Amino acid sequence: MAAPSSSSSATNIMLAIHEKKTVSIDLYRPLRNYIAFTYSEREAQNLEDDLQTLKEMRNSIERSSAADSLPARRDLLQSYFKALTAVESRFPISPDKDHVNSVTFTWHDAFKNRNKASQQNIHLEKAAVLFNLGAVHSQIGLGIDRSSVEGRRQASHSFIAAAGAFAYLRDNTATKASIGNSTTVDVSVECAGMLERLMLAQAQECVFENTIAKGSTPGVCAKISRQVGLYYEEAVAALNVAPLSQHFDKTWVSHIQLKADLFHAEACYRYSLELHEKDEIGEEIARLNIGITALLDAKKSAPRGASQQILEAINKLEIDLNSNLGRAMKENDRVYLMRVPPVSSLPSLPSFSLVKPMNMNDVLDASKDKMFASLVPDSSAKALSRYTEMVDDVIRTQAEKLQQGSELARVNLKEMNLPDSLFALEGHSVLPTALWEDVEAVQVCGGPVGLQGELQQLQDLRRVNHELLVQTEELLQKEAAEDAQFRSQFGTRWTRPQSTTLTKNLLDRLNKFAANLKQAGDSDGKIERSVRDNMALMSILDSRPIESALPTLAKPIMSLDANEDAVVGALKQSLRQLETLGAQRAGLEDMLKDMKTKDEILPKLMTSTGSYEDLFRKEIAKYDHICEDISQNLQAQEQLLLQIQAQNSQFASTFNVEDYKASCEKCYKQIEAAVAKYREIKENINEGLKFYVTLQEAITNIKQQSSDFVMTRSIQCREMIEDLQRQMSGLSFQDGRNASTHNYPSQPGPASRPHAPRPQTPYYQPPPSGYGQQPPPYNMRGTPYPPQQGQQPGPAGHEYGQPAYPGWRGSYYNPQGQQPPYQSGYYKQ
């Protein structure tokens, strides 16, 4: 009946459905006899291949074994179902003497194999094939290794396909297969619906596992896990009522119940993490208590033989919940002192479904198959097509009337501002949807109060950039001072270029950065002033809920006849009646669709000996009573709307609704202005943060280059001092003693140095790729800096009269003509 997953993870254990079993049956001979008798022997011979193919497929269905390839089994079931669709439209299988009456399909119940059903129609056969198709998809999903993201994605897709097969069974075949005395529970509408929910739960669970693996936020994980629990809860609800309540093994039911409780608690746990981040400690404690209670109830109700893996997962989650609860209670007692709300006051946990049943219409569409294509009873086919058009026309006309009635009610109520006016009277004023969404977006971002923290971020980033500039400038100044000291000590013998000559471009760039930073500080000041000046305007956005800031509709202070309660009660009663009429329309529309689904006229057409028109009139009359009910519903609504208009006029005059509307409009405009100002300031702050981050990257880059420059100059300095000391001690080479200055040739030859010189350190050795480099800000290039046009880097060697590395005499920071992004105007002025 069900098999556990082989995954080592406790929460990974899932269920798969076993296929239904059947008994052997011969379709070939009865169908061939029908063709030969109804059409001709020649037609039977022409369709020999199709008959053999159908026979082979049925035999393969009967020979199901565990060794079969699941994908091949799936393809076989899909092909056989399409073949049955072709058979259904051409061969009337029933006990009737003029039909194919020697075929009886027998299938055993998948969950209680001793139960079986036998029917002389094709509906049971089609239902059983659809059931097995869903079962095979579930087995494919269970067999996939879910230890990787891709594996979980494939498993989820298989469970979605299984849900699609069971949904197709429920909507198209289950009702027909359940007609009569011989039927099984597994192909009933209730069982197919339950299995659809179970497969969706397992598909959503795979999505949840991937969400956790990807490190999604606690809020997202909470919504997805809550939907897993809801799907399992829906399956449990179906299992606890007839006809399923006594049909399934208790361990099977307990597995689903434990999963429902586990994922409810998981959602509470994830949601509490998000609440903790928001410092909503009171609700966090309440949610943790709910999760712990759910797990305790689950363990109490778990029967013997319950899955040990799920119980271990429950115990682990319980430990995490208790740990977080203890921490939250301590923090609340010592710091927050928040009131823990009662469970009854908490809204339902938010949920979000990322799965839905696969649409099987295309997969099971037999219109393009050529099996028995030549065997079309022309008169019956045309008559059936005509009758179907008649039914579709009736349903389309009535559906349009129902939709127009619902739209008319909606428009009238909106014009009368109902039921919002009544909500306002009860203290539950409502914002327009678009404005409410704008306010919610502001509150999610922290609201006006949160702007202070972002302003502090701007100040911190500006301070960090300033410190980097100072550090870089001090680095260059220190090197210049050392160079000046040695130049004073050695005089004309100190022949290398002055630091101020080489660092001019560096210092110019630092000065530009400093100017940009000063201008940014001025912009920060403007934003801070804007926040202070507009805080009173924006403070309304911190109201939680925002509806608490709206005006309320109150009873008049002076009343002559004291009939306010009667006016309100009559209006509410009329609105409840209008709601009832709307629900009736929805039920009538469902009845129309249900009648069409069950409207099986083909057997009657194929056996009819009278006029098709008479048969059509008789059959289409089945829809007359629903059409009459729709007409009465619309007439009743029309009268009720007139009554509501009169009652609303009296309500508006009694409670001075016009003044309330004017107050609401004024408040809406205030909220709109506050939202607009908040967005403007928020956009400016974001632009500032972006500016400072980009500038910090640029300053870090130039600081690294300055460090490289200082290091190279230090190496130069040591080597030059060593050469000068050798000269003064009489240890220098002959060509050095003859030289009146210490300018060395660019490339000394072998003859110029009679003794082998020691290896010299190159003036600048570029660091390895990626070493000490920051990513270039936006349009800044991360390539070596080229010299100016006309300059080429000198050869490696002791050339104290040359720059230490290319680029010192060129555009040091950016290639010529390229503007850095941080000069492009930070903030909207």
Side-chain angles (χ1 to χ4, degrees), residues 1-7 12-18 111 138-139 141-143 146 159 198-199 202 252 255 259 307 309:
M1 176 172 62
S5 165
S6 60
S7 172
N12 268 352
I13 183 170
M14 294 183 182
L15 298 176
I17 314 301
H18 288 316
F111 304 103
S138 73
Q139 293 169 25
L142 192 67
R146 299 192 302 279
F159 289 130
L198 174 60
M199 294 298 107
Q202 298 190 155
W252 213 77
H255 170 93
K259 277 293 188 79
S307 170
Q309 289 178 298

Side-chain angles (χ1 to χ4, degrees), residues 210-432:
N210 265 347
T211 305
I212 295 297
K214 293 176 182 177
S216 297
T217 62
V220 172
C221 295
K223 291 180 180 179
I224 295 175
S225 60
R226 183 59 191 127
Q227 186 59 54
V228 177
L230 289 176
Y231 280 138
Y232 277 121
E233 288 172 12
E234 290 171 1
V236 169
L239 286 167
N240 287 330
V241 296
L244 308 183
S245 55
Q246 303 298 324
H247 195 72
F248 287 85
D249 185 78
K250 290 184 178 180
T251 59
W252 213 77
V253 178
S254 71
H255 170 93
I256 302 175
Q257 179 65 65
L258 288 174
K259 277 293 188 79
D261 294 334
L262 173 62
F263 278 96
H264 182 199
E266 182 76 36
C268 291
Y269 172 70
R270 300 286 172 183
Y271 193 67
S272 71
L273 297 179
E274 183 181 43
L275 292 172
H276 192 81
E277 293 175 357
K278 298 178 180 178
D279 292 337
E280 298 179 11
I281 305 301
E283 185 177 349
E284 178 191 2
I285 292 172
R287 295 293 183 184
L288 289 170
N289 279 322
I290 293 173
I292 293 171
T293 301
L295 294 183
L296 291 176
D297 292 343
K299 291 197 293 185
K300 288 179 182 178
S301 62
R304 289 187 177 182
S307 170
Q308 190 62 32
Q309 289 178 298
I310 299 181
L311 293 177
E312 290 175 0
I314 288 176
N315 291 331
K316 182 179 181 301
L317 180 57
E318 185 181 1
I319 292 172
D320 293 339
L321 286 166
N322 281 313
S323 174
N324 285 8
L325 178 61
R327 178 199 61 191
M329 292 180 68
K330 288 182 180 178
E331 292 179 359
N332 195 40
D333 293 341
R334 296 176 181 175
V335 180
Y336 297 98
L337 303 177
M338 291 185 177
R339 185 182 68 88
V340 178
V343 174
S344 59
S345 67
L346 295 177
S348 300
L349 284 174
S351 61
F352 186 68
S353 175
L354 292 175
V355 298
K356 62 179 181 180
M358 178 185 291
N359 188 342
M360 304 297 286
N361 290 327
D362 293 337
V363 176
L364 302 176
D365 182 18
S367 61
K368 297 180 181 179
D369 282 17
K370 297 182 178 180
M371 180 170 283
F372 304 116
S374 62
L375 194 65
V376 180
D378 188 58
S379 59
S380 297
K382 290 181 179 180
L384 178 62
S385 177
R386 185 180 173 191
Y387 177 76
T388 302
E389 290 176 0
M390 293 171 64
V391 173
D392 289 342
D393 184 63
V394 170
I395 292 177
R396 181 170 53 253
T397 301
Q398 298 304 316
E400 289 175 356
K401 289 182 179 180
L402 292 170
Q403 292 172 2
Q404 290 171 1
S406 298
E407 181 66 14
L408 180 64
R410 187 190 67 81
V411 171
N412 275 269
L413 290 179
K414 185 175 182 180
E415 290 176 351
M416 292 183 285
N417 198 32
L418 291 174
D420 291 351
S421 296
L422 291 174
F423 291 157
L425 185 62
E426 297 170 354
H428 304 295
S429 298
V430 180
L431 269 180

Side-chain angles (χ1 to χ4, degrees), residues 684-699:
N684 286 339
I685 290 176
N686 290 339
E687 184 69 21
L689 294 173
K690 178 181 177 182
F691 164 81
Y692 282 126
V693 171
T694 304
L695 183 61
Q696 183 176 345
E697 292 176 353
I699 296 176

